[in-house]
Amino acid sequence: MKKTFIAVLSLFLATSIHAQETGLFNNTETFTKQDTLRGSITPERAWWDLNYYHLSVTVDPDEKYISGKNVIRYKVLKSNQTLQIDLQPPLKIEKVTQNNKELEFTSEVNAHFVQLKEPQKKGDYNEILVYYSGNPKEAVRAPWDGGFSWKKDKNGKPFIATSCQGLGASIWWPNKDHMYDEVDSMKISVTTPKGLMDVSNGRLVGVDMEENTNTFHWKVNNPINNYGVNVNIGDYVHFGEKYKGEKGILDMDYYVLSYNLEKAKEQFKQAPKMMEAFEHWFGPYPFYEDGYKLVEVPYLGMEHQSSVTYGNQYKNGYLGRDLSGTGWGLKSDFIIVHESGHEWFANNITYKDIADMWIHESFTAYSENLFIDYYYGKEAAAEYVIGTRKNIQNDIPIIGKYDVNNEGSGDMYYKGANMLHTLRQLVEDDEKWRAILRGLNKDFYHQTVTTEQIENYLSEKTGKNLDAFFNQYLRTVMIPNLEYKIENKMLKFRYTDVVENFDMPIQVYLNDKEEWIFPTTKWKEISADKKIETFKVDEDFYIDSNKV
C-alpha cells in the first residue's frame, strides 16, 4: 500500500468558478452518516491494506450501461470478518466471492459490508471478487460533478470518459473509496465495441480482438489513487515520443481523435517543455515505469495518473483565456501545464483526506507560475501569480472538515499559489526553494500525506516556524493587513486581521529603496534618512495595506 478556482464574473475565468457552480467545492455544515462512511477510516476499512486491483469492465455506449468485476487483493493488518466496499447507486453489486464461495453483504446506500467466511489472519494476503453492473451516474458538467461522459465526436462515433474527484471513484467501479490507502498496482481491462479504443492508466499490455468487441488491457506498476483511475473511449489515433529525462528515457504517448491529429501534433509539442520545467523544479517525473500520456476527452481535463486527460480545444490559456489577465497565461496551454503538474502534487504526493486538497491544488496552481519562471523569468512568473489574485474569494478557509469527504474553499488554487509565492520570498534563496520542492517529491515519494506533515516539512527545511503563517492562509479568510502612518522621516506600522503570533517580515519600498520590515500586531517605527515621499509594499507578498 502506498500513500496516500473562483470568482470574478466571467464565464471562463477559472476552473474553480465552474467547480463552485457545479458543486465540487460544495461546503456544508450539515453532514450525514453517508458522509462519514465515505470520508472516514471506518473499522471495516482500517483492518486491511490494499495490495492489488484487477478491474474488468464492459462498456455499452448505446445503453449507457456498464458491467464488470473487480479483483481486490489485500493484506490483513488485524483480524476482522467484515470488509467495507464502496459502490454508488444506481450501480449494483451482483455478488461477492472469496475462493469461489459467495459471500453475504449488507448495504447502506454507497457502503457495502461484506461478511467474510474464512478466518482473516494477520499478515495473510487474501482476495475478494466483486461483480457489478448498471447505468452509472452521467456527468452533467464534467469533470466537476463527475461520472460517465457519454458523448459523440463530430463523426457521430461514441466519445466516452470518466471523471470522479470528490464524488469518488465508487461512482463507477467498486473499490476501497478512501484516499488514505492506495493500491500498490493494478490492471485495467476495458471491453469496447469494435472500432473504438480504450485508453486507461499505465501501459497497454494486450488487446483481445473478438468479432464485435475489443478488450484493452492496461497495467499500472505504481501506486495509484482511486480517482486517478480512468476509462477513455473513442476513435483514437496515437503518436508519441521518447523524452530524455532525469531518470532516463520516458515514453510520452498521445491519444487524440483521428480528425484532430495534426492540431495535436502541434499543440502537444508543449508536453516535453512542461516535463523539462517540472523535472527542474520538482524532480524526476514520478511514474517512469508507467509512462506519460495525454488523452483527448469530451471535457476540459483532469489529472488522471499517467493518463492525463485533455479537452482544452488545442488552445493556449484556459480555453483561450488568460486567468491572470497579464498575457503570460497565453504563452502555454493551461491544461497541459496544470493537469500534468498534478503528477507531482496529487499523484505522487496525495492527500489522505480531501479536507487537505490544497496539497494538490495550491502547489499545482503554483506550478503554473514556475513553468513561466523556467521559460520567461522570475519577473514574468511573479506578474502571473499576482495577476491571479483577482480570482480569490476569501469565502471560507482553504482546509475543509475532516472525516466527512469535505473540500475546503476553491481558494486552494490561487490563494494557495500566492501563499507559496510569498513563502518563496521569505526563503530568500531560490536554489534552496527549488531544493525544498524537489525534496518534497523525494521524501514523500508515492505517499499519502496530511497538512501537518507538509507544514512541518516546510518549517524544518526553511528553518522558520511557519505555524502562524499556515494558520493565517489555510485556516482563516483574513488577508494580513499592514496599517501604516508616515510622519516626515518616520514610518509607523503594524498588522491587523491576523492570527495570534503572526509576525511575517515583508519587503517594502521607502523612497523607492527596498528594505525589510518586521511587523507585529503592535505599532513599530523606523526612520528614513530623509522625508518619506513614497511608500509601498512589495507585491510579491500576499497582504493588504492601508494608510491610517
Side-chain angles (χ1 to χ4, degrees), residues 65-81:
Y65 182 88
I66 64 173
S67 60
K69 59 188 178 182
N70 190 21
V71 175
I72 303 175
R73 184 184 302 153
Y74 59 92
K75 180 180 181 180
V76 179
L77 303 178
K78 181 180 179 181
S79 183
N80 198 310
Q81 297 301 121

Side-chain angles (χ1 to χ4, degrees), residues 48-102:
W48 56 287
D49 181 42
L50 273 171
N51 173 248
Y52 176 77
Y53 289 134
H54 182 186
L55 174 63
S56 303
V57 59
T58 298
V59 180
D60 183 340
D62 292 336
E63 300 298 325
K64 298 183 178 179
Y65 182 88
I66 64 173
S67 60
K69 59 188 178 182
N70 190 21
V71 175
I72 303 175
R73 184 184 302 153
Y74 59 92
K75 180 180 181 180
V76 179
L77 303 178
K78 181 180 179 181
S79 183
N80 198 310
Q81 297 301 121
T82 306
L83 182 149
Q84 179 180 340
I85 293 298
D86 304 284
L87 185 69
Q88 299 180 37
L91 295 175
K92 294 182 179 180
I93 293 178
E94 296 172 348
K95 66 177 180 178
V96 183
T97 65
Q98 187 165 64
N99 295 328
N100 298 314
K101 297 176 182 178
E102 191 163 344

Side-chain angles (χ1 to χ4, degrees), residues 120-312:
Q120 305 294 302
K121 299 178 181 179
K122 182 178 180 180
D124 283 357
Y125 285 83
N126 298 325
E127 290 183 358
I128 62 170
L129 186 52
V130 182
Y131 296 81
Y132 77 111
S133 64
N135 297 93
K137 178 185 179 298
E138 185 167 356
V140 177
R141 201 171 185 183
W144 300 282
D145 67 330
F148 256 80
S149 295
W150 304 96
K151 304 295 184 181
K152 301 275 189 178
D153 68 20
K154 71 179 187 180
N155 292 328
K157 295 183 178 182
F159 190 22
I160 302 164
T162 59
S163 55
C164 56
Q165 185 181 21
L167 185 62
S170 56
I171 198 67
W172 70 274
W173 61 286
N175 59 80
K176 186 179 188 179
D177 206 0
H178 194 288
M179 297 290 287
Y180 88 100
D181 191 3
E182 290 193 357
V183 73
D184 294 336
S185 62
M186 73 179 293
K187 187 176 181 181
I188 307 164
S189 299
V190 181
T191 301
T192 73
K194 205 78 169 177
L196 298 174
M197 180 181 187
D198 168 70
V199 182
S200 291
N201 312 80
R203 295 187 182 273
L204 185 63
V205 294
V207 182
D208 297 335
M209 305 180 71
E210 303 294 341
E211 182 179 356
N212 297 312
T213 62
N214 290 332
T215 300
F216 298 86
H217 301 285
W218 297 85
K219 180 68 193 307
V220 181
N221 291 293
N222 287 286
I224 185 170
N225 63 58
N226 287 340
Y227 86 81
V229 177
N230 67 347
V231 164
N232 307 290
I233 298 171
D235 177 25
Y236 286 125
V237 292
H238 164 260
F239 66 104
E241 59 190 309
K242 304 286 188 182
Y243 177 78
K244 295 181 179 180
E246 289 196 12
K247 286 181 67 175
I249 301 299
L250 173 65
D251 292 320
M252 300 185 70
D253 292 287
Y254 313 114
Y255 294 86
V256 301
L257 294 179
S258 55
Y259 50 79
N260 285 330
L261 179 59
E262 295 308 314
K263 286 192 289 187
K265 284 183 175 180
E266 184 60 33
Q267 192 74 359
F268 289 3
K269 289 178 181 178
Q270 296 186 40
K273 291 185 62 179
M274 168 279 300
M275 193 64 66
E276 180 181 338
F278 288 165
E279 286 208 326
H280 170 84
W281 283 108
F282 302 144
Y285 175 71
F287 309 107
Y288 270 72
E289 301 85 354
D290 293 325
Y292 168 90
K293 294 189 294 294
L294 276 177
V295 187
E296 185 172 3
V297 291
Y299 62 84
L300 185 61
M302 196 73 194
E303 67 264 24
H304 300 113
Q305 183 173 310
S306 73
S307 180
V308 175
T309 51
Y310 177 88
N312 202 37

Side-chain angles (χ1 to χ4, degrees), residues 451-502:
T451 286
E452 181 180 14
Q453 287 176 278
I454 300 303
E455 288 182 358
N456 289 342
Y457 186 91
L458 291 172
S459 289
E460 176 189 349
K461 298 303 181 181
T462 61
K464 301 176 185 297
N465 185 334
L466 297 173
D467 290 353
F469 178 87
F470 287 120
N471 285 339
Q472 180 77 30
Y473 289 111
L474 295 178
R475 298 179 176 89
T476 80
V477 298
M478 298 184 296
I479 305 173
N481 183 60
L482 183 76
E483 287 189 341
Y484 66 94
K485 305 174 183 178
I486 296 174
E487 299 172 359
N488 201 0
K489 295 182 180 181
M490 186 76 66
L491 174 69
K492 298 181 178 181
F493 54 90
R494 70 172 181 181
Y495 274 134
T496 61
D497 299 331
V498 294
V499 299
E500 186 177 2
N501 298 321
F502 187 87

